Amino acid sequence: MKTKVTTNDAAESSADKISRQSQLLSAQLQSIRERLYEPEAAKTLKTYTSRDVASLLGIAESTLRQMSLDGESAIPDRQDNGRRIYTLPQINQIREHLARRRPSEALDFLPRRREGDKLQVITVANFKGGSAKTTTTVHLAHYLAIQGLRVLAIDLDPQASLTAMFGYQPEFDVDENETVYAAIRYDEQRRPIQEVIRKTYFDGIDLIPANLELMEYEHETPQAIAAGHGRGDGIFFRRLSAVIGEVEEHYDVVLIDAPPQLGYLTLGALCAATSLLITIHPAMIDVASMNQFLAMMSDLMHVIEERGGVLSHDFIRYVLTRHNPNDSPQINVVTLLRSLFKDDVLAPAVVETTAIASAGLEKKSLYEMSRGSVGRDTLNRALESVDAVNGEILHHIKQVWGRQ
């Protein structure tokens, strides 16, 4: 005789069970965040030493010290040991001061776009999980801001990983109609994009956060097309570009973290972009997936062009991520990609490192990690790798602006 086993599953539907588990996890994540960022439950940025600042600005440490003694520009705080420490807002004040004081070197100190320079809208895309799309986006945003550029980061992924990296928990901190969906939706609840842009703790970076409501755009767009929203800036693939244009005077670079699928949001991001970064983990299964992504993207881009869309990008680059330079199969894949795509593959690659993994656990980029949080050599190697990739991307941006 068999004994009948009863469980609570019989009394709870699958939808209810998943909803309950989601709520439990959300509450726990909120609790963890509050413990990490006490007492205000908000992220803050690390400070910089005089040596860090001098290296970043390309000036002698003695020059920086003399500026402090003379009361010029920002006045740093002092640690207990007497060392001067600077915040990123103070570094940017010094940048502006030096740019005014040395006009012939102004673009070196403050490389923001000038009148006539085209706003750079860079979409980071791939639909293969694990390609480090969000990690690439957040590191590039932080790097550009540290270099003195004004950055708008747009999280277009309903999973909202980029939003979380900036210290917001989507289900708690992003309310209804507070994502970019609010600015591109088709009904009377549409809002100006300026109203959904948030200042972040990272000086120089503003954010448009994401949450699951972005999926509404995918559901509503077919109905909107059928209802006649298919002309001018109102057509779905121009809507994002049009609203970015409303705030372009405030930024040098817009970074879009695209969803991991080729839906209406991603197509809007491709059309809004002046440049594309396609992240790729150099493993054969990932390359095969990317091949499908490229084929589908090509087909859809041709359809958009037939509908009057203009797809002209200043540069398209493949970013090698999580690369192990000692792994023979990966080396073979990298060699294959470079032989096929030539200079469209960025020369440096982001190496696979525990430093990036450790930073991710804390929802930080490498630029936020303190020297004692991971091994010094490990952090330095990781930073060299990420700096090399981001530096080459900045080089391409400057080329577009006619500075190289």
Side-chain angles (χ1 to χ4, degrees):
M1 179 177 177
K2 293 184 177 179
T3 302
K4 185 177 181 181
V5 179
T6 60
T7 68
N8 291 331
D9 289 351
E12 185 179 32
S13 72
S14 294
D16 288 342
K17 181 176 183 177
I18 291 172
S19 175
R20 175 175 57 81
Q21 292 173 336
S22 173
Q23 291 171 17
L24 285 171
L25 183 57
S26 292
Q28 190 62 31
L29 290 172
Q30 176 76 348
S31 176
I32 292 170
R33 190 189 72 162
E34 290 174 353
R35 290 200 303 272
L36 284 174
Y37 306 125
E38 292 177 344
E40 297 179 351
K43 293 186 74 174
T44 57
L45 187 58
K46 70 175 187 178
T47 54
Y48 298 80
T49 66
S50 296
R51 178 178 296 180
D52 293 333
V53 178
S55 175
L56 186 60
L57 299 180
I59 60 176
E61 196 171 347
S62 58
T63 301
L64 189 63
R65 187 180 305 111
Q66 191 61 49
M67 288 174 61
S68 174
L69 293 172
D70 293 343
E72 294 184 6
S73 189
I75 307 300
D77 291 331
R78 286 182 179 269
Q79 295 177 316
D80 293 339
N81 59 10
R83 290 183 177 177
R84 295 175 176 84
I85 55 171
Y86 296 80
T87 64
L88 186 55
Q90 288 176 324
I91 295 172
N92 285 330
Q93 288 178 38
I94 296 170
R95 285 184 179 281
E96 293 174 0
H97 173 77
L98 289 171
R100 290 191 300 268
R101 187 167 146 184
R102 306 183 192 177
S104 63
E105 302 173 71
L107 284 177
D108 295 326
F109 293 123
L110 202 64
R112 294 174 180 170
R113 69 188 183 104
R114 303 299 173 90
E115 186 175 353
D117 292 341
K118 181 170 66 172
L119 174 72
Q120 281 296 286
V121 181
I122 301 177
T123 291
V124 185
N126 202 332
F127 66 17
K128 177 68 174 69
S131 68
K133 183 170 57 65
T134 296
T135 302
T136 299
T137 305
V138 75
H139 278 92
L140 181 56
H142 288 182
Y143 176 86
L144 294 176
I146 291 170
Q147 300 302 314
L149 298 182
R150 302 165 301 168
V151 179
L152 173 63
I154 302 178
D155 193 348
L156 214 61
D157 186 348
Q159 297 178 76
S161 298
L162 183 66
T163 298
M165 290 293 287
F166 279 96
Y168 296 107
Q169 193 168 333
E171 61 269 46
F172 284 102
D173 302 322
V174 185
D175 291 333
E176 184 179 347
N177 223 29
E178 289 188 348
T179 70
V180 79
Y181 169 67
I184 60 175
R185 62 190 301 165
Y186 299 94
D187 59 21
E188 67 281 355
Q189 295 185 56
R190 189 174 177 185
R191 303 172 63 187
I193 191 173
Q194 186 64 56
E195 293 183 6
V196 295
I197 293 175
R198 302 185 182 199
K199 294 291 181 185
T200 72
Y201 66 96
F202 209 109
D203 193 54
I205 303 178
D206 289 349
L207 172 72
I208 299 180
N211 64 17
L212 289 174
E213 80 167 6
L214 285 169
M215 292 302 299
E216 296 298 320
Y217 189 72
E218 303 291 345
H219 301 150
E220 293 173 2
T221 294
Q223 301 170 25
I225 294 172
H229 291 277
R231 296 182 180 179
D233 289 343
I235 195 168
F236 75 90
F237 56 77
R238 290 198 186 103
R239 294 176 83 84
L240 183 59
S241 178
V243 297
I244 289 173
E246 295 172 13
V247 295
E248 69 171 292
E249 65 181 293
H250 303 300
Y251 303 102
D252 306 303
V253 179
V254 175
L255 297 178
I256 302 175
D257 187 11
Q261 68 270 334
L262 280 171
Y264 295 110
L265 286 168
T266 300
L267 291 176
L270 294 175
C271 292
T274 60
S275 303
L276 298 179
L277 295 178
I278 300 171
T279 54
I280 174 64
H281 175 230
M284 193 54 70
I285 190 170
D286 295 77
V287 171
S289 175
M290 185 186 71
N291 183 49
Q292 294 299 309
F293 173 75
L294 295 178
M296 292 171 62
M297 185 166 66
S298 172
D299 289 344
L300 291 170
M301 290 171 84
H302 281 120
V303 171
I304 287 173
E305 288 178 333
E306 290 170 3
R307 293 288 300 273
V310 177
L311 290 163
S312 178
H313 299 108
D314 295 321
F315 59 87
I316 298 174
R317 292 293 182 271
Y318 295 86
V319 184
L320 298 169
T321 65
R322 297 172 47 226
H323 176 40
N324 181 351
N326 299 313
D327 185 298
S328 295
Q330 284 200 24
I331 293 171
N332 291 336
V333 171
V334 170
T335 301
L336 171 66
L337 291 172
R338 293 196 189 283
S339 68
L340 294 174
F341 298 158
K342 312 299 182 185
D343 292 340
D344 286 341
V345 181
L346 288 185
V350 178
V351 298
E352 187 165 26
T353 169
T354 57
I356 292 179
S358 297
L361 289 174
E362 298 182 36
K363 289 187 167 55
K364 292 180 178 179
S365 78
L366 293 177
Y367 299 111
E368 300 174 278
M369 298 291 281
S370 60
R371 293 289 175 181
S373 54
V374 294
R376 179 182 295 272
D377 290 343
T378 300
L379 181 57
N380 286 340
R381 283 195 299 270
L383 279 169
E384 287 175 6
S385 164
V386 172
D387 277 347
V389 168
N390 291 332
E392 185 163 331
I393 295 169
L394 178 56
H395 172 78
H396 289 308
I397 292 171
K398 289 182 176 180
Q399 277 189 319
V400 175
W401 291 339
R403 299 185 193 171
Q404 300 289 347

